[in-house]
Amino acid sequence: MSNTVSQADLEASIARINSAFLGIKEQMSKVIVGQDAVIEQLLIAMFSRGHCLLEGVPGLAKTLMISTLARTLTMTFARIQFTPDLMPADITGTEVLQENRETGRREFRFLAGPLFHNVVLADEINRTPPKTQAALLEAMQERQVTVGQTRHIIGDPFFVLATQNPIEQEGTYPLPEAQQDRFMFKVFVGYPSFLEEREIAKRTTSVMKADPEEVLSAAEIIELQKLVRQVPISDHVADYALALVRQTRIGQEGVPDFVNDWLSWGAGPRAVQFLILGSKARALLYGRTHVSTEDIQALAGPVLRHRIVTNFSAESEGITTDRVIEELLKVTPTKEGELTRDPRLQKIFAA
């Protein structure tokens, strides 16, 4: 597919994605109060063909938010409650020996697991052992599952939304960095405001029951995902995304001192890919036909926070990955001339 697209096609894309975006938000607001930024990031990931990891304390409606999103889409939905005794075959499916009524012979037949749905909620993913967590890797990256010697293709669209609780670590298995990297975004779900919490309390303690309507079909989502990839991006904006990511790699020339002091590992190329792809989707959502550095800045947190690793020194000082990202945004110029003339960044680009 060509990287260029006509202005008329882009304007039509904006109208279609805006309509879908506003429609889904309207339907989700019937059930979910607030959390606009979280919903926006979920939709950006969906239109970008990515997966999301949601982290927040219990009771913030993470599971309800995901199930409500699935109800606004004409797609199949499955919820997997991850537990310590869950086995890989419980989510991927397994082969069973059955008798063929026509031939009378016994033969193996594949029974698909819950991964073979369009929207999959991996609830409390950090409660299951690494062996089962790893069963998601192939499905998320390759969109297929291998059972025995047979590969089974997972149909499009395919969207994994995982949740985890950050405060209860006993009996949990933190996700390895390699698996976290498969998630496009790591989204923090925060506490509601006073007015939002009052509305939540009133809704959930009354007889009122909302029923969201379907907004998008699977075919429409696939088409919108193709449109996102056609949004043009200038070399300057792409260089800005590269500058942010490459500055996280410790020990290289041009890297800020605080990165070397606070990080033990930096982000890989997949971070640049997701920054650019997500920014294309965000540009369309905001009615623009081009990507800006503002889009890159808005998505730097959810894209990078689970791809950089702080060291002991940073942890002892209470420095989080979000703090590192904030400092990176401060020291990275957004204007084209300043970005290319910065002596420190010139070393980054020359590496």
Side-chain angles (χ1 to χ4, degrees):
M1 182 180 293
S2 174
N3 290 329
T4 59
V5 62
S6 68
Q7 187 70 19
D9 288 341
L10 272 178
E11 290 176 357
S13 302
I14 289 175
R16 293 175 65 184
I17 286 192
N18 263 329
S19 175
F21 177 52
L22 295 175
I24 291 174
K25 284 188 68 175
E26 180 184 356
Q27 295 304 316
M28 290 191 69
S29 66
K30 295 179 179 179
V31 179
I32 303 298
V33 178
Q35 302 292 0
D36 291 339
V38 176
I39 294 172
E40 178 183 302
Q41 290 171 21
L42 288 178
L43 293 178
I44 288 174
M46 183 179 70
F47 292 139
S48 303
R49 210 166 175 258
H51 310 287
C52 276
L53 177 63
L54 282 78
E55 185 174 290
V57 299
L60 294 181
K62 300 184 295 296
T63 301
L64 179 61
M65 189 184 309
I66 294 169
S67 61
T68 303
L69 173 62
R71 290 165 65 187
T72 67
L73 309 171
T74 312
M75 298 194 296
T76 60
F77 170 72
R79 173 181 175 177
I80 308 172
Q81 186 64 51
F82 281 78
T83 56
D85 60 348
L86 197 71
M87 298 298 291
D90 295 330
I91 63 174
T92 61
T94 188
E95 290 184 333
V96 296
L97 190 61
Q98 290 186 339
E99 182 178 340
N100 189 321
R101 294 183 178 180
E102 296 180 358
T103 63
R105 295 181 178 180
R106 290 184 176 184
E107 55 189 33
F108 282 102
R109 179 188 173 194
F110 177 67
L111 296 181
L115 273 184
F116 287 83
H117 288 78
N118 299 122
V119 181
V120 176
L121 166 57
D123 211 5
E124 297 190 277
I125 191 174
N126 58 334
R127 288 197 174 277
T128 200
K131 182 178 181 180
T132 306
Q133 292 174 355
L136 281 173
L137 286 176
E138 183 182 16
M140 292 172 63
Q141 186 64 27
E142 307 296 336
R143 295 175 187 265
Q144 67 179 25
V145 166
T146 302
V147 178
Q149 297 182 345
T150 307
R151 289 183 299 174
H152 303 273
I153 303 300
I154 299 175
D156 277 335
F158 178 61
F159 191 33
V160 174
L161 293 162
T163 68
Q164 65 179 13
N165 176 2
I167 61 173
E168 190 177 9
Q169 298 304 322
E170 185 177 353
T172 63
Y173 305 84
L175 284 177
E177 280 71 19
Q179 184 163 343
Q180 290 194 53
D181 196 45
R182 261 66 175 186
F183 289 98
M184 180 177 185
F185 291 157
K186 182 178 183 179
V187 181
F188 285 157
V189 183
Y191 290 108
S193 67
F194 175 82
L195 294 178
E196 289 171 348
E197 194 161 3
R198 183 172 67 183
E199 179 63 22
I200 291 170
K202 291 171 65 177
R203 286 192 190 185
T204 56
T205 55
S206 70
V207 295
M208 178 170 46
K209 185 178 179 181
D211 189 17
E213 299 175 3
E214 294 177 346
V215 177
L216 282 178
S217 66
E220 289 172 323
I221 290 174
I222 293 172
E223 184 61 29
L224 291 175
Q225 289 173 341
K226 293 177 181 178
L227 292 172
V228 165
R229 291 179 174 269
Q230 297 180 56
V231 176
I233 182 171
S234 67
D235 287 344
H236 163 60
V237 178
D239 288 347
Y240 181 74
L242 279 161
L244 287 177
V245 174
R246 292 179 69 85
Q247 286 180 97
T248 66
R249 298 168 187 172
I250 63 172
Q252 299 192 19
E253 283 193 278
V255 169
D257 291 338
F258 65 84
V259 168
N260 288 320
D261 292 340
W262 291 341
L263 295 187
S264 59
W265 202 255
R270 193 177 279 125
V272 179
Q273 297 169 344
F274 283 147
L275 265 179
I276 291 176
L277 197 55
S279 295
K280 288 184 175 187
R282 186 178 187 274
L284 291 182
L285 292 183
Y286 280 81
R288 285 182 277 106
T289 58
H290 64 280
V291 181
S292 70
T293 54
E294 177 192 349
D295 298 313
I296 303 291
Q297 289 175 319
L299 299 182
V303 168
L304 292 176
R305 63 169 56 111
H306 57 302
R307 291 186 166 87
I308 58 178
V309 182
T310 53
N311 56 26
F312 177 77
S313 176
E315 292 174 2
S316 64
E317 297 177 31
I319 304 297
T320 63
T321 55
D322 276 23
R323 168 72 185 282
V324 177
I325 296 166
E326 289 173 7
E327 295 299 323
L328 279 174
L329 292 173
K330 290 178 183 177
V331 301
T332 308
T334 57
K335 294 183 179 179
E336 184 171 1
E338 295 178 3
L339 185 69
T340 55
R341 289 196 301 265
D342 189 300
R344 185 177 57 78
L345 292 179
Q346 287 177 352
K347 297 176 183 179
I348 294 285
F349 293 141

